[in-house]
Amino acid sequence: MSADAHAGHDAAHPVHADAHGHGQDHGSLQSYMIGFVLSVILTVIPFYLVMTGALQSKQLTIAIVVAMAFVQIIVHMIYFLHMNFKTEDGWSMMALIFTIIVVVIALSGSIWVMYHLNVNMMPSMQDMRQMP
Amino acid sequence: MTVMKAEALNGTDAPVFYEVDEHEHPEGASTMLGFWLYLMSDCLIFAMLFATYAVLGGNYAAGPSPKDVFELPLVALNTTMLLLSSITYGFAMLAMVKDKVGATQMWLFITAIFGACFLGIELYEFAHLIHEGAGPQRSAFLSSFFTLVGTHGLHVTFGLVWLFTLMVQVWRGGLVEANKRRLMCLSMFWHFLDVIWIGVFTFVYLIGVLR
């Protein structure tokens, strides 16, 4: 198909691309600014908490920092990567969900197994004393 | 279009038709989905490197711990650079949609500057660490740290090479359909790297300093 014929085809069927779900969402100035402001807030708070040690509890600080990162990743996905259930007839979201499942299994599995390996294989003081 | 008539297998005389030819797809219609699938596979690479860091990150081999080597103000500056480059790339995309070649090129160039600043700061940090004797050979913690953060930096480097290539392409060919598609792919790549960096500064730097 020549470029001209292709252009004519598109002009004759302006909704062609959208009808098949290939239309890409480019976002708007407003959506980019919302994403940017949210990202700045979600970045400044964890850095502030860790750098100043504002909270006494380390566990609470870690929980807040991880929660902020989680929310910020979702903000980036929606406002910068324009993820939704419509792009490419939903296949982009399908691929993303599949990847998240694999990542969660691989990460939690690795950490879980290696943690227990460390705990259970650690030579206790009793064993150390009996060593030749 | 070729349509094949198959012998009726179900015992009736009703003919069964099926299409032999591929549907006609507009050029580049599947590029975005294909590139997204590549990014997802890239995501798996980073997931494995994060898992490696999570497992080995506590093995200091009597060497420095994250608290000794990480400088959070530098990381905060780095994060700022990458976040700013993300929003300026967004502005480039908005200019591209409106077919403003000059504005697109300008925002792309500003994005490149922020990206280069990010790389410069990261290289300075790496050089500083190696100079202090905290290089990748020092301990398992530092090996996994350099692999994870270095891989991200390598991605940003190739993103910059790609960005300059596209600036030349837009300069020579204008904002034609093919160039818009390429810019959209790089847009996904660039924002994706920012998403990975959220994981890096949270799990490597901030939590590293805390524990």
Side-chain angles (χ1 to χ4, degrees), chain A residues 1 6 24 26-27 29 32 36 43 47 50 58 62 65-66 69 76 80-81 83 88 92 95 99 106-107 114, chain B residues 24 26 32-33 36-37 40 47-48 51 55 72 79 87 90-91 94 97 184 188 191 194-195 201-202 207 210:
Chain A
M1 183 186 282
H6 180 66
Q24 287 288 322
H26 296 288
L29 182 63
Y32 272 112
F36 181 68
T43 304
F47 270 98
V50 175
K58 241 178 209 183
I62 289 179
V65 166
V66 171
H76 273 245
F80 290 163
L81 285 164
M83 283 306 293
E88 307 282 355
S92 293
T99 310
L107 274 179
M114 295 311 288
Chain B
E24 270 193 43
M32 302 311 287
L33 180 59
W36 181 251
L37 292 182
M40 290 301 97
M48 292 308 102
V55 169
L72 283 188
T79 308
I87 186 71
F91 291 152
L94 292 175
V97 172
M184 264 151 38
M188 290 204 290
H191 293 309
D194 207 4
V195 171
F201 80 69
T202 301
I207 294 185
L210 276 178

Side-chain angles (χ1 to χ4, degrees), chain A residues 71-124:
Chain A
V71 175
Q72 199 184 347
I73 287 174
I74 294 173
V75 166
H76 273 245
M77 285 285 173
I78 293 172
Y79 290 103
F80 290 163
L81 285 164
H82 313 303
M83 283 306 293
N84 55 48
F85 285 94
K86 286 181 298 228
T87 316
E88 307 282 355
D89 290 330
W91 286 108
S92 293
M93 187 58 91
M94 277 298 191
L96 178 64
I97 292 170
F98 173 70
T99 310
I100 291 172
I101 292 172
V102 172
V103 166
V104 167
I105 292 173
L107 274 179
S108 57
S110 303
I111 294 166
W112 182 55
V113 167
M114 295 311 288
Y115 173 77
H116 282 271
L117 191 72
N118 280 342
V119 170
N120 293 324
M121 299 296 279
M122 196 73 76
S124 65

Side-chain angles (χ1 to χ4, degrees), chain B residues 108-143:
Chain B
L108 284 179
F109 186 69
I110 294 172
T111 307
I113 291 175
F114 283 129
C117 285
F118 172 84
L119 274 182
I121 295 167
E122 189 163 288
L123 285 176
Y124 165 78
E125 186 196 13
F126 281 6
H128 189 64
L129 284 178
I130 292 168
H131 181 72
E132 279 187 331
Q137 302 99 323
R138 184 61 190 83
S139 64
F141 148 62
L142 284 165
S143 301

Side-chain angles (χ1 to χ4, degrees), chain B residues 195-208:
Chain B
V195 171
I196 298 294
W197 183 253
I198 297 171
V200 172
F201 80 69
T202 301
F203 292 102
V204 175
Y205 288 104
L206 291 181
I207 294 185

Side-chain angles (χ1 to χ4, degrees), chain B residues 4 10 68 76 82 90 105 124 128 136 143 152 154-155 177 197:
Chain B
M4 296 279 281
N10 51 2
D68 304 323
L82 210 56
Q105 295 281 51
Y124 165 78
H128 189 64
S143 301
H152 179 271
L154 208 58
H155 275 76
E177 210 48 48
W197 183 253

Side-chain angles (χ1 to χ4, degrees), chain B residues 10-198:
Chain B
N10 51 2
T12 65
D13 289 335
V16 180
F17 293 102
Y18 57 93
E19 286 180 29
V20 176
D21 292 341
E22 285 264 328
H23 287 283
E24 270 193 43
H25 294 291
E27 189 192 337
S30 53
T31 306
M32 302 311 287
L33 180 59
F35 193 76
W36 181 251
L37 292 182
Y38 153 70
L39 283 184
M40 290 301 97
S41 71
D42 222 12
C43 190
L44 293 181
I45 293 180
F46 279 109
M48 292 308 102
L49 293 177
F50 271 111
T52 311
Y53 181 81
V55 169
L56 299 176
N59 301 353
Y60 307 136
S65 70
K67 211 176 278 185
D68 304 323
V69 290
F70 292 162
E71 290 174 38
L72 283 188
L74 209 58
V75 182
L77 186 63
N78 234 354
T79 308
T80 313
M81 290 299 149
L82 210 56
L83 197 54
L84 284 173
S85 82
S86 247
I87 186 71
T88 55
Y89 202 105
F91 291 152
M93 293 301 288
L94 292 175
M96 183 202 80
V97 172
K98 290 176 186 158
D99 285 315
K100 292 180 181 166
V101 179
T104 308
Q105 295 281 51
M106 185 193 75
W107 285 118
L108 284 179
F109 186 69
I110 294 172
T111 307
I113 291 175
F114 283 129
C117 285
F118 172 84
L119 274 182
I121 295 167
E122 189 163 288
L123 285 176
Y124 165 78
E125 186 196 13
F126 281 6
H128 189 64
L129 284 178
I130 292 168
H131 181 72
E132 279 187 331
Q137 302 99 323
R138 184 61 190 83
S139 64
F141 148 62
L142 284 165
S143 301
S144 54
F145 164 78
F146 272 95
T147 313
L148 172 58
V149 182
T151 306
H152 179 271
L154 208 58
H155 275 76
V156 176
T157 310
F158 281 104
L160 270 184
V161 172
W162 190 4
L163 199 149
F164 281 121
T165 313
L166 282 187
M167 282 181 72
V168 173
Q169 297 251 47
V170 171
W171 174 58
R172 293 177 62 177
L175 284 172
V176 293
E177 210 48 48
N179 278 343
K180 284 188 177 178
R181 196 165 61 235
R182 290 164 189 150
L183 283 171
M184 264 151 38
C185 282
L186 181 57
S187 163
M188 290 204 290
F189 187 73
W190 201 260
H191 293 309
F192 169 77
L193 287 182
D194 207 4
V195 171
I196 298 294
W197 183 253
I198 297 171

